[in-house]
Amino acid sequence: MKEKEKTGVQKLAYYTNKGYSHLCEHCLSPDRIVAALLASFMLAYIFQLFAHANFYELENYYNSINFGVFFFLAGVMFLVLTITSYKTLIKSLIPRALFVLTLFLSAQFAMLNNETDVYFVLGIALIDFIIISWLVKEDKLEISGIKITPRVCLIAAVALFVVTSIAYGYITSMRYIGYQCSTFDFGIFSNMFEHMAQTGLPNTTVEREGLTSHFGVHFSPFFYLLLPGYMLFRSPFYLYYTQSIFVAAGVFAVYLISRKLEFSGRLTLALEFIYAFYPSLFLGCFYDFHENKFLTVIILFLFYFILSNKTTWTIVFSLLLLSVKEDAAIYLIAISLFVMVYMKKVAKGAIMLAMSIVYFIIAQRVVSALGDGVMMWRLSDYFLGEEKNFAAVAKSIIYDFGFLLKQMFIADKIPFIIWILLPVACTPFMTKKISSYLLLIPIIPINLMQSWVYQYDISFQYTYGTAALVIMSAIFVIGQLKDKRKRTAVLMSICMCLVMSSALIWPKMRNNFAYAKNVKETGPQVQQVLDTIPSDVSVTAAHRIMPHLSHILDLTTASKNNTNLTQTDYYVLDTRDEETSSIMRSVMQGNYVLVTSGGFVELYKRNY
């Protein structure tokens, strides 16, 4: 009887007759017994961490351990794994249990750490890599035997989209409900959309002094595509949920790209998971609303249309990408070079390159005409004397390349590089094709060159274009790797995405729910006070109150950084912020009378 035709009982009899050494070669080899022991202790650790989370407080943690329960759980788990493996002869049982428990425990350590520490995550990654390397050897997880159809991948994409868009839309809106979002940057967009709804113009009164066009700061005509939805819902919550939906929708682009590249169902499903848990994507949503967060999905769909040779849609999405922000041209330049050199589509790449350069020139002139010009001050480290323009920056880079390296690779920027590349297991560098690195070019001018700290902070909005290109680079490279390296890279990416998302996102989620809980009683009282303010008056409001008055066009924001205030019709003080309240009282100078108060706000009306 052939091996593949034998039943489990027949296999057991066969191996018993052949001797224990043959059994060891299959389901209970010495390394699998060690793996079962390791998995068993992991389960005990997981239980212990649920009971006593502060593992970093050694004395308290040690004193709280119930040693009897700890070793009982480990012992029972070990017996279950080994006996079940012996009885069923399922070779992958112990490896799969070890992989699942490794994922769970790694994420738990990252989630429960008292601070977001990228070097702690690196330590977890090293241990996980050792375990994954053992699992991949001889395909101990029997991944090659798993068959996943395109239909299952599509269902998974839909499920990930629905869950993440709703969950993150809701969780990030808790910041608004908890009166924690501020003028910069949520208030300027809520005010801008209300101006667009009422006047058709992207004006704000809180971004700069007085009434100004947001396009004088950043040229983002893309916002007009979101205006119909805002007109329908007319709520700041629309911004949170729309942003979350667009970020989540990138999973469909990953699905389509994987299908176009003829990836297996297993790899397609894995890439969908990697996208959904790529740490910087949803992390940035916790810092309110920004145009940058629409870059990822547009870039990914642009690649799909490029791969599909759909010229019209390629042009449409190239224009969509450019319309998000003036510096989006940098991403399209990198993509066009990649298309020309890596994909050998010279004509198409040249058209995209010309579009990006022409559009950037136009956008720069619009910003200069409506405002103070593009934010060159963020590149001030590269200015030469009186030259404060792109020419000076180019000269600095060309003539003093060492200075550029010194600016890029400082201690503060290394964590950013790790947060961006480790979730994809550094796969963009696992290729000999130098042209593949063209997609990584924008990381230099957007993130690493600049001294503006938020540009290389993973918690903010400047990672979305970079993330899309890193993910695309990873997809191209992973698709070319040999089986063993491919499985190692994919499993490591899945593990790191889960671990790093847990480390970064869990504290944000916890804080947002705490914000909402803290104002459960006072929040409605605050809203009652704000509802008494007419919509056709001028109002000066504390910076964390201003977003809740977005329906009022003539707004001024007050904070410790903005002391240049005028006497408007109303003043709204936030008593939680004593410093800002003191500044506002000094401006009122007895010319205002207290109208009402509630919760943590006080409403004053000018006494004409």
Side-chain angles (χ1 to χ4, degrees):
M1 184 180 292
K2 294 182 179 180
E3 182 71 17
K4 64 180 181 179
E5 297 175 349
K6 294 177 181 179
T7 65
V9 175
Q10 289 170 326
K11 285 183 180 179
L12 180 58
Y14 173 77
Y15 290 127
T16 301
N17 292 334
K18 294 283 289 183
Y20 180 70
S21 61
H22 290 273
L23 184 63
C24 288
E25 292 175 3
H26 290 75
C27 58
L28 283 179
S29 56
D31 57 344
R32 277 182 168 80
I33 293 175
V34 173
L37 188 63
L38 179 59
S40 301
F41 273 96
M42 283 185 176
L43 180 67
Y45 278 124
I46 290 169
F47 177 83
Q48 183 66 30
L49 287 173
F50 270 122
H52 306 283
N54 296 338
F55 66 89
Y56 43 82
E57 296 177 357
L58 180 59
E59 290 291 338
N60 292 336
Y61 182 79
Y62 180 80
N63 292 331
S64 67
I65 291 178
N66 187 323
F67 291 99
V69 173
F70 184 86
F71 286 104
F72 174 77
L73 283 174
V76 170
M77 182 65 174
F78 180 76
L79 290 174
V80 168
L81 285 176
T82 53
I83 292 174
T84 304
S85 295
Y86 179 81
K87 291 290 186 182
T88 63
L89 296 180
I90 299 175
K91 296 187 293 182
S92 62
L93 178 63
I94 291 174
R96 288 181 178 179
L98 177 61
F99 179 64
V100 171
L101 291 170
T102 298
L103 283 178
F104 203 103
L105 182 60
S106 299
Q108 197 173 18
F109 274 132
M111 183 185 301
L112 298 177
N113 192 25
N114 64 335
E115 58 183 14
T116 303
D117 184 355
V118 70
Y119 300 108
F120 176 63
V121 171
L122 272 178
I124 295 174
L126 177 60
I127 296 173
D128 290 351
F129 177 73
I130 294 171
I131 293 173
I132 288 173
S133 296
W134 178 79
L135 292 171
V136 169
K137 188 178 181 181
E138 298 172 357
D139 192 20
K140 294 183 178 67
L141 294 173
E142 297 185 349
I143 293 175
S144 58
I146 300 174
K147 303 299 181 184
I148 299 175
T149 65
R151 178 182 175 84
V152 171
C153 294
L154 179 58
I155 292 173
V158 172
L160 287 170
F161 167 74
V162 172
V163 171
T164 54
S165 59
I166 294 176
Y168 285 106
Y170 175 74
I171 296 168
T172 52
S173 68
M174 290 295 103
R175 182 173 161 90
Y176 179 84
I177 293 173
Y179 287 86
Q180 288 297 320
C181 59
S182 62
T183 303
F184 295 93
D185 285 339
F186 188 74
I188 61 176
F189 293 109
S190 60
N191 184 240
M192 181 197 73
F193 268 97
E194 189 60 30
H195 273 271
M196 290 172 69
Q198 294 191 37
T199 69
L201 298 175
N203 293 331
T204 73
T205 59
V206 295
E207 191 168 16
R208 296 290 187 265
E209 293 184 9
L211 181 66
T212 57
S213 173
H214 176 69
F215 287 3
V217 180
H218 293 302
F219 186 51
S220 304
F222 177 82
F223 282 137
Y224 278 99
L225 297 179
L226 306 181
L227 183 58
Y230 181 82
M231 296 289 288
L232 178 63
F233 295 101
R234 210 61 172 260
S235 168
F237 288 106
Y238 167 79
L239 302 183
Y240 279 110
Y241 280 96
T242 299
Q243 176 175 267
S244 182
I245 288 170
F246 269 79
V247 174
V251 72
F252 293 118
V254 171
Y255 166 78
L256 292 171
I257 290 168
S258 298
R259 294 285 295 144
K260 181 57 62 176
L261 294 175
E262 299 182 348
F263 289 166
S264 67
R266 298 187 304 272
L267 181 55
T268 300
L269 187 62
L271 291 173
E272 290 174 0
F273 184 92
I274 290 169
Y275 177 84
F277 286 89
Y278 190 82
S280 70
L281 291 180
F282 286 104
L283 176 69
C285 291
F286 286 89
Y287 188 61
D288 299 328
F289 178 89
H290 291 89
E291 66 276 357
N292 299 66
K293 296 168 189 176
F294 298 90
L295 291 169
T296 309
V297 65
I298 295 174
I299 289 174
L300 291 177
F301 270 104
L302 173 58
F303 267 103
Y304 168 69
F305 290 121
I306 292 171
L307 291 169
S308 302
N309 290 318
K310 296 182 178 180
T311 303
T312 301
W313 283 107
T314 297
I315 294 174
V316 169
F317 271 77
S318 294
L319 290 173
L320 275 178
L321 173 58
L322 293 170
S323 72
V324 172
K325 198 178 179 184
E326 66 279 355
D327 61 9
I330 295 174
Y331 302 114
L332 190 59
I333 288 173
I335 295 170
S336 63
L337 293 174
F338 181 84
V339 170
M340 285 191 289
V341 180
Y342 183 92
M343 301 179 70
K344 310 300 182 183
K345 298 180 179 181
V346 178
K348 182 174 293 185
I351 293 172
M352 294 166 63
L353 179 62
M355 288 173 59
S356 59
I357 294 173
V358 171
Y359 188 91
F360 180 75
I361 294 173
I362 294 173
Q364 184 182 9
R365 290 183 178 179
V366 170
V367 174
S368 297
L370 297 176
D372 298 327
V374 295
M375 297 182 178
M376 286 298 301
W377 59 268
R378 295 184 181 180
L379 294 170
S380 60
D381 291 337
Y382 302 88
F383 291 166
L384 298 172
E386 296 300 320
E387 287 191 79
K388 299 179 181 180
N389 49 38
F390 288 113
V393 175
K395 290 178 184 178
S396 299
I397 294 172
I398 294 172
Y399 297 125
D400 196 348
F401 187 70
F403 181 78
L404 173 64
L405 292 178
K406 185 177 182 297
Q407 293 297 107
M408 288 172 54
F409 298 106
I410 61 174
D412 290 345
K413 295 178 182 178
I414 300 302
F416 171 82
I417 297 173
I418 297 172
W419 288 121
I420 285 290
L421 292 176
L422 190 57
V424 291
C426 301
T427 49
F429 295 100
M430 295 182 184
T431 179
K432 295 180 180 179
K433 291 186 177 181
I434 303 299
S435 58
S436 177
Y437 300 147
L438 290 170
L439 289 181
L440 304 182
I441 288 176
I443 297 177
I444 297 174
I446 296 294
N447 306 114
L448 298 182
M449 275 182 60
Q450 304 196 34
S451 56
W452 180 242
V453 63
Y454 302 108
Q455 298 284 154
Y456 53 88
D457 190 324
I458 201 74
S459 299
F460 294 90
Q461 69 270 23
Y462 300 104
T463 61
Y464 283 81
T466 299
L469 296 180
V470 168
I471 290 171
M472 273 310 308
S473 178
I475 289 174
F476 280 118
V477 173
I478 287 173
Q480 299 168 6
L481 295 177
K482 300 297 183 182
D483 285 348
K484 183 178 178 180
R485 292 188 71 195
K486 180 182 295 184
R487 288 171 188 161
T488 302
V490 171
L491 291 179
M492 194 65 189
S493 294
I494 290 173
C495 190
M496 287 300 96
C497 282
L498 186 60
V499 169
M500 300 178 88
S501 288
S502 298
L504 290 166
I505 294 177
W506 174 251
K508 301 282 187 181
M509 293 174 59
R510 185 173 53 201
N511 289 341
N512 276 21
F513 282 116
Y515 295 148
K517 183 179 180 180
N518 290 340
V519 300
K520 186 176 182 179
E521 295 182 1
T522 57
Q525 299 172 24
V526 170
Q527 193 59 49
Q528 286 181 352
V529 173
L530 300 183
D531 288 342
T532 64
I533 305 175
S535 60
D536 58 348
V537 297
S538 59
V539 180
T540 299
H543 66 105
R544 285 187 291 180
I545 303 300
M546 179 261 134
H548 295 263
L549 295 170
S550 59
H551 63 285
I552 299 174
L553 295 186
D554 192 357
L555 283 173
T556 302
T557 186
S559 69
K560 62 181 180 181
N561 297 320
N562 181 26
T563 59
N564 187 23
L565 304 177
T566 59
Q567 293 192 346
T568 53
D569 296 328
Y570 286 87
Y571 263 57
V572 186
L573 275 63
D574 183 349
T575 58
R576 298 172 301 175
D577 187 347
E578 294 182 2
E579 185 175 355
T580 301
S581 295
S582 178
I583 294 171
M584 296 175 73
R585 292 181 194 280
S586 66
V587 175
M588 288 191 290
Q589 297 178 345
N591 295 326
Y592 288 75
V593 59
L594 178 64
V595 177
T596 184
S597 63
F600 44 82
V601 297
E602 295 176 351
L603 176 62
Y604 291 84
K605 184 177 181 181
R606 188 173 182 180
N607 187 14
Y608 290 98

